[in-house]
Amino acid sequence: PGVSSPGDDDAWIRLGVCTGTIAPTPSPTVDLDAPGCPEEYDPDTEYSSLDKALVDGIVYMCRPNAYSAFCNAGPAYAPGGSNSDLGWMKQGGCRGTIAPTSSP
């Protein structure tokens, strides 16, 4: 885009031009003092979509739908592992325990 090259007509459709700049968005913040913690991550536990686990004071949630298969795919996919973002979403920190909820 911007400079025409052979074959550009096959891949790009010129929609117009831009002027100005877009301001960067701020980085997300994580509340490291949120009350209540889920159970520590256990590699022998079978995790499902939206399950939560704790690793080093950080809460992770198993991604929904098809991505949840990565929550049980081995050490590299464990929360905080090298590929954890495929199955787990970092939720933030916690302290204490999560109180049980009453039955309906």
Side-chain angles (χ1 to χ4, degrees), residues 7-68:
D8 279 357
D9 293 339
D10 296 331
W12 297 97
I13 298 172
R14 185 180 180 133
L15 299 177
V17 295
C18 298
T19 59
T21 60
I22 297 174
T25 58
S27 297
T29 59
V30 175
D31 181 6
L32 294 177
D33 291 321
C37 296
E39 295 290 318
E40 285 283 338
Y41 173 77
D42 178 358
D44 296 324
T45 296
E46 186 74 20
Y47 290 95
S48 300
S49 178
L50 307 180
D51 282 348
K52 292 183 179 180
L54 182 69
V55 175
D56 296 329
I58 303 294
V59 177
Y60 292 85
M61 183 174 67
C62 182
R63 290 185 182 274
N65 304 317
Y67 294 103
S68 66

